[in-house]
Amino acid sequence: MADPRTHRLRLGTSAVTVAVVLLAVLLVPPLVQLDEQAVDLSRKLLPPSWDHPFGTDDLGRDLLLRCVYGLRVSLLVGLVAALVATVIGTAVGAAAGALGGWADRTLMRLVDAFSSVPHLLLGIFVVALFRPGVWPVIVSVAVTHWLSTARIVRSEVLSLRTRPFVDAAVSGGAGRGASPSGTCCPSCRRPGSPPS
């Protein structure tokens, strides 16, 4: 078992790293009044210095500023795509597990159909449908990464539907279609504790 102090040290290091990255993304562009696309051939290929901590490229552009702007785009793509994929996967998985029957079979065959296509090929196809930009990339990542979430949520909902407190809710008058939202979802938020 890992030492708790080592675990806390790693957690603290990770938190500091994330904080530094976020501060750089949020504060560097407003504080540094430079254009990341500005070309200055007199400053091309400079080594790292106080004026240019990462140096400059072959067109004289500051590499630190370009890295920060690139990081902003990467964070936007990652966060929004993860959020969209989680929402889609949770909705599909919860609906499949809660409704059961033909709805479950139809939704899971949809998941299998998406899984049968290579993610890279599907992502390229989605990006090719739109003009070049950030949002087609976000859509392609979200469309190819909600499948595992849907399977996990569905299996959790199916396991919760067999719990005694769900049977008790059904015997008390709740329908099978309503019991997942009224009893399973609170239990998902607090694992191991049935709703009161």
Side-chain angles (χ1 to χ4, degrees), residues 55-119:
T56 60
D57 62 6
D58 56 349
L59 295 177
R61 297 174 295 191
D62 185 77
L63 289 179
L64 174 59
L65 195 59
R66 291 178 61 80
C67 287
V68 170
Y69 273 94
L71 186 59
R72 296 176 75 180
V73 176
S74 299
L75 286 176
L76 174 65
V77 171
L79 292 176
V80 176
L83 178 62
V84 173
T86 301
V87 171
I88 295 175
T90 302
V92 172
L99 298 177
W102 65 268
D104 183 18
R105 292 191 294 270
T106 302
L107 290 173
M108 295 318 295
R109 294 301 77 77
L110 177 65
V111 172
D112 293 338
F114 273 92
S115 299
S116 65
V117 182
H119 287 182

Side-chain angles (χ1 to χ4, degrees), residues 11 13 15 20 24-25 33 52-53 68 81-82 85 93 98-99 101 105 109 122 135-136 156 161 170:
L11 184 61
T13 303
V20 169
V25 169
Q33 300 299 324
H52 305 284
V68 170
L99 298 177
R105 292 191 294 270
R109 294 301 77 77
L122 184 59
W135 294 106
E156 184 66 21
R161 288 187 65 182
V170 173

Side-chain angles (χ1 to χ4, degrees), residues 122-196:
L122 184 59
I124 293 174
F125 176 74
V126 172
V127 171
L129 292 177
F130 304 96
R131 294 181 179 178
V134 174
W135 294 106
V137 177
I138 293 175
V139 172
S140 67
V141 173
V143 164
T144 56
H145 287 80
W146 61 271
L147 307 172
S148 59
T149 304
R151 288 195 173 99
I152 292 172
V153 172
R154 173 182 176 269
S155 63
E156 184 66 21
V157 172
L158 288 176
S159 69
L160 288 173
R161 288 187 65 182
T162 62
R163 300 288 178 86
F165 61 86
V166 176
D167 293 333
V170 173
S171 64
R176 278 288 178 183
S179 61
S181 61
T183 59
C184 293
C185 290
S187 184
C188 288
R189 293 195 297 268
R190 300 187 299 273
S193 59
S196 58

